[in-house]
Amino acid sequence: MQLTQTDFEERLARVDDGTADDEDHRLVRHYRAEGFVAGDEPVDGSWLAGGQEAPEDDYSSLGYRDLQKLAREYGLNAGGSEADLVGRLREHDQQKRAADDASQE
């Protein structure tokens, strides 16, 4: 199979809207490993290294090791299932947004 930006974006859209199957999730991780990014993401993947927050919906397309890495960077427990990690990361994002909103008032 030849990797294309169009196929990546179609699969990523299915992941984002919740209609993706296991193959879509697997291939989105594969595309990311090959360096593909969506139009609104930094090309260098700097959000994975803590340069900025990962887009919330993108957690479901990350692999287990990437989720663990992000959890550790945020000082969160990096154990448990993928679902546990995604839940912790999303909760962290919500708490951070709430703290940011409170500091701006």
Side-chain angles (χ1 to χ4, degrees), residues 1-32:
M1 176 181 137
Q2 184 175 357
L3 303 180
T4 66
Q5 184 70 27
T6 302
D7 184 55
F8 168 66
E9 290 181 3
E10 287 171 359
R11 290 178 188 280
L12 186 59
R14 287 193 292 268
V15 167
D16 290 344
D17 69 19
T19 61
D21 59 16
D22 289 341
E23 183 175 357
D24 288 328
H25 286 281
R26 183 184 64 78
L27 285 171
V28 164
R29 284 192 297 270
H30 179 72
Y31 273 108
R32 289 200 183 283

Side-chain angles (χ1 to χ4, degrees), residues 26-47:
R26 183 184 64 78
L27 285 171
V28 164
R29 284 192 297 270
H30 179 72
Y31 273 108
R32 289 200 183 283
E34 293 294 321
F36 283 78
V37 294
D40 59 347
E41 297 173 354
V43 173
D44 63 359
S46 61
W47 59 270

Side-chain angles (χ1 to χ4, degrees), residues 22-81:
D22 289 341
E23 183 175 357
D24 288 328
H25 286 281
R26 183 184 64 78
L27 285 171
V28 164
R29 284 192 297 270
H30 179 72
Y31 273 108
R32 289 200 183 283
E34 293 294 321
F36 283 78
V37 294
D40 59 347
E41 297 173 354
V43 173
D44 63 359
S46 61
W47 59 270
L48 275 175
Q52 68 187 64
E53 271 183 55
E56 183 175 333
D57 293 339
D58 252 7
Y59 291 137
S60 61
S61 66
L62 293 177
Y64 186 74
R65 298 268 187 231
D66 291 329
L67 293 168
Q68 285 183 312
K69 181 180 177 182
L70 282 174
R72 285 187 192 103
E73 288 176 5
Y74 293 150
L76 305 172
N77 178 350
S81 68

